[in-house]
């Protein structure tokens, strides 16, 4: 059951920061986005598309549907899409309750999204549901450090980022991925264990 109150609060925070998001967000390097998105093909869903930072990196092999629950972030993405030639459809939608049929997408993309989704396991279950059995889920996600003392510091600092931006810095995303029934095919640590590039299978066979 999705926590409606928490969902409303996080959505409001992203609406609030949408105007300055591109100026303040430097967590993901452009080359990481570029490398990740070269792997997208076919019917592609980007969850938490935000202000559309990834859109320019998709190639012609991907027909992209981008969703976000923040209309103001989505508006920024729409502006960027207007300057691009690729196929983009952007929709307001909650990742915890996707309005797509099972087995719709060849590729699902997320970049720094599961730090914010109020119920990350529910969101991950939803992307598993809409990914075709032979499809792929590709991610750049930051998470709690595997080094325990660093993780503890992240636990202490977490309420600050959550209050200002709506993102958690101490999510145990690899555990959440397992709990959602997804299978890790590949993972690369980009900033120690904190920022990772991950390829998942929906593990439906
Ligand atoms: C840190 S931003 C990242 C945006 C973009 N993916 C990027 O790489 O720049 C997280 C985004 O996820 C969106 N988001 C968080 N929870 C969501 C949910 N339950 N459903 C849809 N979008 C969500 C937020 O509105 C925000 O746009």
């Amino acid at each position: 059951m999705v926590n409606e109150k928490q969902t409303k609060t996080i959505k409001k925070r992203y609406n609030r920061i949408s105007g300055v998001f591109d100026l303040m967000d430097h967590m993901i390097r452009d080359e990481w986005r570029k490398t990740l998105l070269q792997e997208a093909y076919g019917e592609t869903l980007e969850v938490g598309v935000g202000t559309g930072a990834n859109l320019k990196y998709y190639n012609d092999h991907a027909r992209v549907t981008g969703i976000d629950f923040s209309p103001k972030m989505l508006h920024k993405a729409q502006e960027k899409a207007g300057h691009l030639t690729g196929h983009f459809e952007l929709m307001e939608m909650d990742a915890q309750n996707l309005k797509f049929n099972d087995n719709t997408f060849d590729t699902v993309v997320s970049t720094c999204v599961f730090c914010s989704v109020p119920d990350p396991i529910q969101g991950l279950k939803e992307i598993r549901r809409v990914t075709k059995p032979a499809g792929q889920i590709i991610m750049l996600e930051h998470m709690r450090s595997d080094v325990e003392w660093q993780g503890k510091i992240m636990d202490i600092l977490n309420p600050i980022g959550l209050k200002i931006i709506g993102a958690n810095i101490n999510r145990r995303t690899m555990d959440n991925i397992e709990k959602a029934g997804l299978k890790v095919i590949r993972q690369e640590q980009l900033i120690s264990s904190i920022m990772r590039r991950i390829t998942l299978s929906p593990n439906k066979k």
Side-chain angles (χ1 to χ4, degrees), residues 3-11 118-119 162 171:
N3 183 329
E4 299 294 345
K5 191 167 165 241
Q6 213 183 353
T7 298
K8 216 172 142 189
T9 303
I10 304 298
K11 191 194 289 199
D119 182 340
L162 185 59
R171 283 266 166 96

Side-chain angles (χ1 to χ4, degrees), residues 161-180:
L162 185 59
K163 185 89 187 160
I164 299 170
I165 304 174
N168 295 273
I169 55 169
N170 67 345
R171 283 266 166 96
R172 296 176 192 263
T173 299
M174 299 314 295
D175 292 349
N176 292 341
I177 283 169
E178 197 187 326
K179 285 178 189 158

Side-chain angles (χ1 to χ4, degrees), residues 7 10-11 14-15 21-22 25 28 33 46-54 67-70 73-74 93-96 110-113 115-119 142 165 167:
T7 298
I10 304 298
K11 191 194 289 199
Y14 276 102
N15 277 334
F21 185 83
D22 285 351
D25 183 61
I28 308 181
R33 293 188 190 272
E46 182 173 338
V47 293
V49 66
T51 60
N54 290 330
I67 67 110
D68 203 289
F69 69 177
S70 157
M73 294 290 276
L74 211 48
M93 200 182 290
D94 186 345
Q96 302 161 112
S110 80
T111 60
C112 285
V113 174
C115 54
S116 313
V117 175
D119 182 340
H142 70 83
I165 304 174

Side-chain angles (χ1 to χ4, degrees), residues 120-121 124-125 128 172-184 198 200-203:
I121 299 172
L124 290 162
K125 280 184 180 166
R128 176 175 185 265
R172 296 176 192 263
T173 299
M174 299 314 295
D175 292 349
N176 292 341
I177 283 169
E178 197 187 326
K179 285 178 189 158
L182 295 159
K183 184 174 170 197
V184 179
I198 309 159
L200 305 170
S201 147
N203 199 23

Side-chain angles (χ1 to χ4, degrees), residues 83-112:
H83 297 292
L84 298 168
T85 52
H87 178 279
F88 303 110
E89 195 172 350
L90 302 175
M91 302 174 183
E92 188 179 330
M93 200 182 290
D94 186 345
Q96 302 161 112
N97 183 19
L98 294 172
K99 308 287 181 206
F100 303 110
N101 292 332
D102 298 357
N103 308 328
T104 301
F105 295 100
D106 300 291
T107 303
V108 177
V109 175
S110 80
T111 60
C112 285

Side-chain angles (χ1 to χ4, degrees), residues 44-61:
T44 297
L45 172 68
E46 182 173 338
V47 293
V49 66
T51 60
N54 290 330
L55 298 181
K56 64 180 175 195
Y57 297 117
Y58 284 102
N59 59 40
D60 295 341
H61 305 301

